[in-house]
Amino acid sequence: VEGRKYYGLHRVLPVKLKPPEQYIPNEENMDLVTTYKQDYNPYPVCRVDPVRPRENRHPCKERMESLATYKADYVPWNQPKRELIKPDQSYRPATAKFDYRTTHQDDFPFRGLVTTVSCKPPYQQKTCSLPLEDLTNYRLNYVAHPVEKRIPMEVSKFKPCDIPFDGLTTHKEAFRGLLGEPAKSLKPNPKISSCDSPFSNTTEFREKYQVWPIPHLYSRPPVVYMPPDEKMDLLTTAQAHYIYHKGAPAKCCRPVRQPKKSGRFEASTTNRDDFKQWPTAKQDPIKPVAQLDLPKDPTDYLTTTKTYFVPHPPIVTKSCKPFIPPARCQVPLIGETTYNISYTPKELVKCLASYPEPPGYTFDAVDAFGHRVYRPVSHLDQLGSRKNSCLSTERPDGPNQRELAVTV
């Protein structure tokens, strides 16, 4: 009812369609030549021979030897299997009970506390009635000299210059503009066309690609809405078919179970009967025996320094040294130092220990600590090395090359 009240009927008008423009065919023929056909011309192509080898119709009947080069060249050596080096498992744990006492407990037993007597002498405060002598060597030997009066330096007054400022700079004086010819324009003169006809706004695309004729769309006239004369039934399917029946709820037909009443409830189970709790007593904690007798008097928390060294009020001494103002020297500081005058740069030399074989030295032997000992190269060593090099170049592949080098 509310929908009919707020949403009324409106008049629906048909949609007006725009009539398409009439197609006018072009009498000229379309040039179907493309850029690809003009620029990419066909070339004569020869047939390529196949790369696949010819089929061998006469196969070999002999059996192929499938032994690889690796299997033929690398033959395993006939060596016996090496036995594993394992220690003999001769250890057997002892059957006797383990003694948990250590060597320290056996050798150093506890013998009780030892009472010691303090050998420190008793402290007796000594008070002196004589006054403190405050004379020092500085006060006795220092002689105060009279200080001369400092004469202040007169400052000269600023005198402005009477010549007026010209406002010229080095650039204005030295760099003067020279007169020259003006730059000529290299722009070409525009050509004025003598054609008075207006510019054509038609293109090749507009002339050859015309709009296709669109057929007139058939529009079906809408059906006129006729309101029903009958009254609208607002009942739903559930309201029409599923009627609520007025009845009482269903009663339970199951018989009521009455509990058995007995004298005593049996609460024993198989777990309680088989696994009974063992009678255990609470074990006392193992506490160590105290080996130190602590005093019963409370601790005063006083140290020897707090007890005997009493702080005294400090005595403020007055300085008798006259005030000397800092001297200011007008001479400029000399920037030269002894390092700048006497230092001569030296060439950096690389350490010989950084070379695998130091130049100018030959390997001699290895000492007891594993250090490689080198000695300077002599004239005889150089002659011997030249002989070895000559022999090695004459017979590089000889079987006794190593023996020859050792004998030389």
Side-chain angles (χ1 to χ4, degrees):
V1 177
E2 294 180 357
R4 292 181 181 181
K5 180 179 179 181
Y6 293 106
Y7 299 97
L9 298 176
H10 297 276
R11 186 179 179 183
V12 180
L13 300 176
V15 181
K16 294 182 180 180
L17 299 176
K18 186 178 180 181
E21 298 179 358
Q22 187 178 0
Y23 170 70
I24 302 173
N26 193 3
E27 297 178 357
E28 298 180 1
N29 295 327
M30 182 178 178
D31 187 9
L32 300 177
V33 178
T34 60
T35 311
Y36 187 85
K37 289 183 179 181
Q38 291 179 357
D39 297 341
Y40 297 94
N41 300 325
Y43 295 96
V45 181
C46 59
R47 187 176 181 181
V48 182
D49 296 334
V51 187
R52 184 177 180 184
R54 295 181 179 180
E55 184 180 358
N56 189 8
R57 297 185 179 181
H58 303 283
C60 184
K61 296 182 180 180
E62 296 181 1
R63 189 175 181 183
M64 179 181 175
E65 185 180 357
S66 60
L67 184 63
T69 310
Y70 187 87
K71 291 184 179 180
D73 296 344
Y74 297 92
V75 183
W77 295 354
N78 296 327
Q79 291 184 353
K81 188 176 180 181
R82 300 173 67 180
E83 297 181 357
L84 299 176
I85 302 173
K86 292 184 178 180
D88 298 335
Q89 299 291 341
S90 59
Y91 173 74
R92 297 290 183 273
T95 56
K97 190 176 181 181
F98 180 71
D99 187 10
Y100 57 88
R101 290 184 60 82
T102 60
T103 312
H104 187 274
Q105 292 178 351
D106 296 339
D107 297 345
F108 300 94
F110 181 71
R111 301 176 184 272
L113 298 175
V114 179
T115 56
T116 57
V117 181
S118 177
C119 300
K120 187 176 181 180
Y123 175 75
Q124 295 179 359
Q125 187 176 3
K126 298 178 181 180
T127 56
C128 183
S129 59
L130 299 176
L132 181 65
E133 185 179 359
D134 57 348
L135 293 177
T136 59
N137 297 334
Y138 183 81
R139 292 185 178 181
L140 294 174
N141 302 328
Y142 179 77
V143 179
H145 296 281
V147 182
E148 298 179 358
K149 187 177 180 181
R150 187 175 180 183
I151 302 172
M153 233 175 132
E154 294 182 359
V155 181
S156 59
K157 296 182 180 181
F158 173 73
K159 296 180 180 180
C161 184
D162 301 334
I163 303 172
F165 185 68
D166 54 358
L168 294 177
T169 60
T170 311
H171 185 81
K172 290 181 179 181
E173 291 181 358
F175 300 94
R176 298 180 180 179
L178 301 178
L179 298 177
E181 297 179 358
K184 297 180 181 180
S185 177
L186 301 176
K187 185 177 180 181
N189 297 325
K191 297 180 180 180
I192 302 173
S193 60
S194 59
C195 183
D196 298 335
S197 61
F199 183 73
S200 178
N201 58 353
T202 59
T203 60
E204 184 182 357
F205 185 82
R206 290 183 179 181
E207 291 179 357
K208 297 181 179 181
Y209 296 95
Q210 299 293 335
V211 183
W212 289 6
I214 301 174
H216 182 69
L217 298 177
Y218 172 74
S219 59
R220 188 176 180 181
V223 182
V224 182
Y225 175 73
M226 299 294 293
D229 300 334
E230 299 178 359
K231 190 178 181 180
M232 183 178 178
D233 187 7
L234 300 176
L235 292 176
T236 60
T237 310
Q239 293 176 359
H241 297 285
Y242 297 95
I243 304 170
Y244 177 73
H245 301 280
K246 296 180 180 180
K251 295 181 180 180
C252 182
C253 299
R254 185 177 181 181
V256 181
R257 185 178 181 183
Q258 297 179 359
K260 297 180 181 180
K261 296 181 180 180
S262 58
R264 186 181 179 184
F265 178 71
E266 185 179 357
S268 61
T269 59
T270 310
N271 191 13
R272 289 185 179 181
D273 295 342
D274 297 341
F275 300 95
K276 295 182 179 181
Q277 187 178 4
W278 292 0
T280 56
K282 187 176 181 181
Q283 190 176 5
D284 297 334
I286 301 173
K287 296 181 179 179
V289 180
Q291 300 179 1
L292 181 65
D293 296 336
L294 299 176
K296 297 180 181 180
D297 299 336
T299 309
D300 52 359
Y301 297 105
L302 291 177
T303 60
T304 311
T305 305
K306 291 182 179 180
T307 307
Y308 298 108
F309 296 94
V310 182
H312 298 280
I315 301 172
V316 181
T317 57
K318 185 178 180 181
S319 177
C320 300
K321 185 177 180 180
F323 176 74
I324 301 175
R328 296 181 181 180
C329 184
Q330 303 295 334
V331 182
L333 181 67
I334 301 174
E336 295 181 356
T337 59
T338 310
Y339 184 83
N340 293 337
I341 298 172
S342 61
Y343 176 76
T344 54
K346 298 181 181 179
E347 184 181 359
L348 297 176
V349 181
K350 190 176 181 181
C351 183
L352 297 176
S354 62
Y355 293 94
E357 292 294 335
Y361 293 84
T362 57
F363 175 71
D364 190 4
V366 180
D367 59 358
F369 298 99
H371 300 156
R372 297 171 64 88
V373 181
Y374 292 83
R375 57 183 176 82
V377 178
S378 61
H379 182 66
L380 298 177
D381 294 338
Q382 294 180 356
L383 293 175
S385 62
R386 291 177 182 175
K387 290 181 180 180
N388 291 340
S389 63
C390 295
L391 290 172
S392 61
T393 53
E394 290 176 1
R395 300 178 63 186
D397 299 328
N400 300 327
Q401 180 185 0
R402 187 178 298 176
E403 297 179 1
L404 186 61
V406 172
T407 55
V408 173

